[in-house]
Amino acid sequence: MQRVKLGLIGCGGIARSAHLPAVAHLVDRVELVATADVDEAAAAAAAEPWRAAHFADYRAVLARVDIEAVVIATPEYLHCEQVEAAAAAGKHILCEKPMAQSLPEADRMIAAAAHAGVHLLIGHSRRFTRRYMEIRAALDRGDIGALRLMRENERRPRMKTDQIWWTPKHWTGDPNVSQGAAMPNAIHEADLLRWFSGGEAQSVYAESAITIAGNAGVPNFLSLTVTFTNGAIGSAEVSNCAPPGYPAFHQMELYGTDGAIRAKDHELIGLTRFTGDGADFPGSFEILLHNKTAYVRELAELVAAIGEDRPVCMPPSEARAALAIALAAQESARTQRVIELSGASV
Amino acid sequence: MNEIIPLAIAGDGPHSRALAAHAAPLGRFSIRSDWHDKEVRAVLVLTAPPERTELVIAALRAGRVVLCSPPAALDAVALERIAAAREEGGGKLIIGGEVAYTEAGARAIEAILAPEFGVLRSLYVAIRQPRVRSGGDVLHDLGWEALDFVLSVTQTRLRRVHATAAALFGGAAQDTIVILMRSADDVVITMELSRCLPDTLPAAGLGEVEVEAIGARQSVRLEPHATSIRICRDSGVSVAPWLDAPVLRMLRAVAAAADGALPDDPLPRQRDALAAMTAIRASIGAAEAVAVEQYHSGKNRDPVVRS
């Protein structure tokens, strides 16, 4: 079987921690031939194990005729431009979530991929996480009857020293390009709530906050409530700057007419270390929240869709629907108003 | 000091039985059957409002130390009657919220209010009970307890609220409510109250109580099982509420007040809770958040009476 030649656009944290390990895991199916990052040293470091070419300009990757597919692992404010360019160059695309900064951008991306006849898979990694796949399967089997109430908590600690995220040192903390926790974090919650609910979002209410010193005005905390067309209610709280040492975990609870499902990372933490500074949970972030196998499945899905010439399992319209919820949460938090959605996915 | 305190318990239920069971062995109390007995110095009022309010007023007017669950009253006029009765009779009032008086809940409050915790950034409070298809309005039945804890922690009034509520599990009354709130000093509070637990997730007493408070320097997480005892058998799991801790704390507070200590005045928090409760109810299904301040007036009341 011929390996799919890949380009990687964006060689920052998520590329290093998730996408490059996934590429390495699927070495029988993919070959990384070029990388790009505005930080050329990062591009070179990502390329080096593969002896791949590396560039500062992503367009140089797209210009390579041997590349069939690209992984776009850049911040969301770059996605629309890069996806449109990749589609125009005839590349299949795996693009990090959130899909875009706005719904019109998402529409342009979907149209560009459709026009070019290429696959566009948005990397909602939790759809490929075994725990959530099992939950979806349990719901499909009717294990807990009709789903009525969903609860999610996502927690991450901030760094002990030199906190970067949500400060001006990192794009997430730059008010010019970052829209806050609703996008990189709560987009997961928005997608899972909708995916599990089996309905479409009807209304969203949210509160947001800035919870760390040095934040230049980008909300890093979000609590949202979503009602769905089938009557289900979902709520989620994302707090990604808890004090150092707090465990990173994701807590999902679903209550149906005939039962309940609970999936709590907190209860799955297998190792707690007690030191003079208190308790910590070594490995919990890597193992539990950033489930690497999910990224492997995600990339494998794109490769399989290319090889089998079939649609990807999660059409980009699904990612657009999650984006609509996240954007509504952001607007609600800004205006203190309930944001009514159309109840339609696209 | 440390003399035996004649104590009367008004009301019947798990808390009454637990209080009665613990009061005598403590060696500080002698139980009397009628609170009107002139020797009675403390009265535990464990009936539901509005009977609770009238008993509290009468006992305060008679100069007793009075302990009751939140809410002491369902409307602002009644709260002022309680204040007047306390003034008139010289009684002392203690509001014994079960969450706040549970060992884990009390420790959580202490930790959050300690200087080393840092500024409170966010607070999550959930109470989940088994499904009871004939159950009453969940906000009324559980909201006072949750609000009592929230206000104990925030130590400020609430600024705005918005609630989403529904009857999700087969009954006629609203069995689920999710409330997003913002305190006067900008803490975002998420409060979830639901009768959503299936039989296989038993939760006795008040139910599963889950609390998570994230501060600038520390955080606190109270796991649901921290307030109960789980008994696992081959035939299944049963759960008993860990009532000892809140009951003992309540009794100690009553004894201290009977010995002469002046308890913190609970009425300001009761007024804040009443305003918040009225605002929450007004916000259910509203198009925007509801400001709580407008309900800090003399005519508020929670219109739903316990079923």
Side-chain angles (χ1 to χ4, degrees):
Chain A
M1 184 176 126
Q2 190 146 4
R3 294 192 295 174
V4 171
K5 288 189 164 53
L6 274 185
L8 174 64
I9 296 173
C11 301
I14 193 67
R16 284 194 301 273
S17 67
H19 293 294
L20 284 167
V23 170
H25 191 88
L26 294 173
V27 68
D28 61 325
R29 279 170 266 183
V30 298
E31 178 186 0
L32 186 66
V33 297
T35 66
D37 197 293
V38 288
D39 175 357
E40 201 164 357
E48 196 273 328
W50 296 85
R51 299 185 180 172
H54 55 88
F55 308 97
D57 188 336
Y58 76 92
R59 283 167 289 212
V61 171
L62 299 182
R64 293 269 301 242
V65 292
D66 59 332
I67 289 179
E68 276 182 86
V70 290
V71 175
I72 296 177
T74 54
E76 66 263 18
Y77 66 89
L78 297 169
H79 288 176
C80 184
E81 173 198 315
Q82 292 174 343
V83 165
E84 284 186 317
K91 315 298 186 195
H92 300 291
I93 304 156
L94 168 58
C95 178
E96 256 302 326
K97 55 77 204 167
M99 184 176 189
Q101 291 187 111
S102 67
L103 295 180
E105 279 191 356
D107 290 336
R108 282 168 50 193
M109 293 160 70
I110 292 170
H115 180 73
V118 298
H119 296 300
L120 173 57
L121 176 63
I122 304 300
H124 279 274
S125 57
R126 291 192 190 159
R127 294 253 189 155
F128 298 90
T129 301
R130 174 61 65 192
R131 190 177 342 154
Y132 304 118
M133 295 163 73
E134 292 292 342
I135 289 176
R136 183 62 258 178
L139 294 171
D140 288 342
R141 287 193 302 268
D143 286 0
I144 62 166
L147 183 61
R148 309 304 291 149
L149 178 66
M150 295 169 281
R151 171 71 203 164
E152 285 189 88
N153 282 335
E154 178 171 332
R155 301 282 180 259
R156 297 168 194 242
R158 62 177 186 269
M159 296 295 107
K160 207 165 199 172
T161 57
D162 199 25
Q163 168 74 12
I164 294 175
W165 275 60
W166 308 107
T167 76
K169 297 178 204 166
H170 190 264
W171 68 266
T172 51
D174 179 354
N176 296 312
V177 297
S178 175
Q179 300 183 71
M183 298 297 271
N185 298 131
I187 192 75
H188 280 305
E189 277 63 45
D191 181 54
L192 284 186
L193 290 178
R194 177 181 168 274
W195 190 38
F196 291 153
S197 79
E200 293 300 338
Q202 195 163 46
S203 70
V204 180
Y205 182 80
E207 290 276 3
S208 66
I210 291 169
T211 67
I212 54 168
N215 182 311
V218 181
N220 62 281
F221 171 92
L222 185 78
S223 186
L224 71 155
T225 308
V226 187
T227 63
F228 290 90
T229 47
N230 57 10
I233 294 174
S235 75
E237 202 184 76
V238 173
S239 180
N240 45 33
C241 294
Y246 204 62
F249 68 92
H250 188 220
Q251 170 179 343
M252 167 67 76
E253 299 182 20
L254 303 101
Y255 299 96
T257 51
D258 298 328
I261 295 173
R262 288 176 166 179
K264 288 186 184 179
D265 287 343
H266 206 60
E267 291 174 353
L268 300 175
I269 291 169
L271 177 61
T272 304
R273 179 168 55 194
F274 298 92
T275 68
D277 294 331
D280 70 342
F281 310 89
S284 63
F285 182 87
E286 285 294 319
I287 295 168
L288 298 172
L289 260 186
H290 255 205
N291 192 327
K292 283 179 183 167
T293 54
Y295 291 87
V296 172
R297 287 192 198 96
E298 196 177 88
L299 181 58
E301 167 61 14
L302 179 69
V303 171
I306 294 169
E308 296 164 17
D309 194 23
R310 59 156 173 84
V312 291
C313 66
M314 180 187 178
S317 56
E318 292 283 291
R320 183 194 186 278
L323 180 63
I325 296 172
L327 290 169
Q330 188 174 277
E331 186 184 348
S332 174
R334 187 173 53 78
T335 61
Q336 290 94 59
R337 294 189 63 80
V338 174
I339 306 303
E340 300 288 344
L341 298 175
S342 65
S345 64
V346 180
Chain B
M1 291 296 174
N2 290 337
E3 64 201 64
I4 299 297
I5 303 162
L7 174 82
I9 301 174
D12 189 27
H15 286 75
S16 306
R17 289 191 288 274
L19 281 160
H22 283 88
L26 269 182
R28 293 300 322 275
F29 300 99
S30 63
I31 306 296
R32 306 295 170 91
S33 57
D34 182 3
W35 79 264
H36 295 92
D37 181 336
K38 286 185 178 166
E39 290 187 351
V40 166
R41 289 172 52 203
V43 184
L44 310 182
V45 179
L46 300 170
T47 56
E51 293 85 350
R52 173 186 301 169
T53 306
E54 298 309 319
L55 260 171
V56 165
I57 288 171
L60 285 173
R61 194 173 282 145
R64 311 288 200 263
V65 173
V66 179
L67 181 140
C68 74
S69 300
L74 291 177
D75 64 78
V77 172
L79 276 180
E80 297 321 308
R81 286 177 58 219
I82 289 173
R86 185 178 59 177
E87 183 75 18
E88 182 186 327
K92 295 173 181 174
L93 179 62
I94 300 166
I95 306 291
E98 190 178 328
V99 182
Y101 273 78
T102 299
E103 189 69 17
R107 291 290 178 92
I109 293 172
E110 286 171 18
I112 294 165
L113 298 182
E116 57 268 27
F117 189 81
V119 178
L120 180 64
R121 301 297 196 191
S122 67
L123 177 64
Y124 170 67
V125 178
I127 303 178
R128 302 184 190 95
Q129 286 191 338
R131 293 168 199 169
V132 182
R133 285 191 162 75
S134 59
D137 172 83
V138 75
L139 174 62
H140 183 82
D141 289 353
L142 302 181
W144 294 103
E145 264 291 347
L147 270 174
D148 182 71
F149 183 83
V150 165
L151 294 169
S152 299
V153 164
T154 59
Q155 302 270 298
T156 64
R157 287 180 171 185
L158 300 178
R159 178 141 53 94
R160 65 172 184 253
V161 298
H162 186 274
T164 303
L168 295 180
F169 296 97
Q174 289 175 340
D175 53 33
T176 300
I177 186 164
V178 182
I179 309 158
L180 299 192
M181 309 185 277
R182 193 175 279 267
S183 73
D185 53 359
D186 259 349
V187 179
V188 175
I189 302 143
T190 304
M191 196 164 97
E192 291 186 359
L193 312 170
S194 184
R195 290 200 182 94
C196 60
L197 300 179
D199 292 343
T200 45
L201 277 172
L206 189 61
E208 286 190 347
V209 179
E210 184 174 350
V211 172
E212 195 169 32
I214 295 181
R217 292 196 292 275
Q218 295 183 355
S219 297
V220 163
R221 184 173 165 81
L222 194 157
E223 298 288 346
H225 48 261
T227 54
S228 63
I229 302 164
R230 300 180 81 82
I231 303 161
C232 303
R233 305 183 187 89
D234 289 345
S235 55
V237 177
S238 65
V239 176
W242 192 349
L243 270 176
D244 291 12
V247 163
L248 290 173
R249 277 177 179 270
M250 288 175 192
L251 288 170
R252 280 201 296 269
V254 169
D259 288 342
L262 192 61
D264 291 338
D265 183 0
L267 289 179
R269 189 181 302 153
Q270 289 289 290
R271 293 185 187 101
D272 291 348
L274 181 62
M277 190 64 113
T278 314
I280 289 167
R281 201 168 290 287
S283 78
I284 296 172
E288 58 191 354
V290 169
V292 178
E293 191 59 36
Q294 63 187 306
Y295 295 103
H296 283 285
S297 68
K299 293 184 180 174
N300 302 318
R301 74 183 307 274
D302 183 352
V304 178
V305 175
R306 184 185 291 267
S307 58

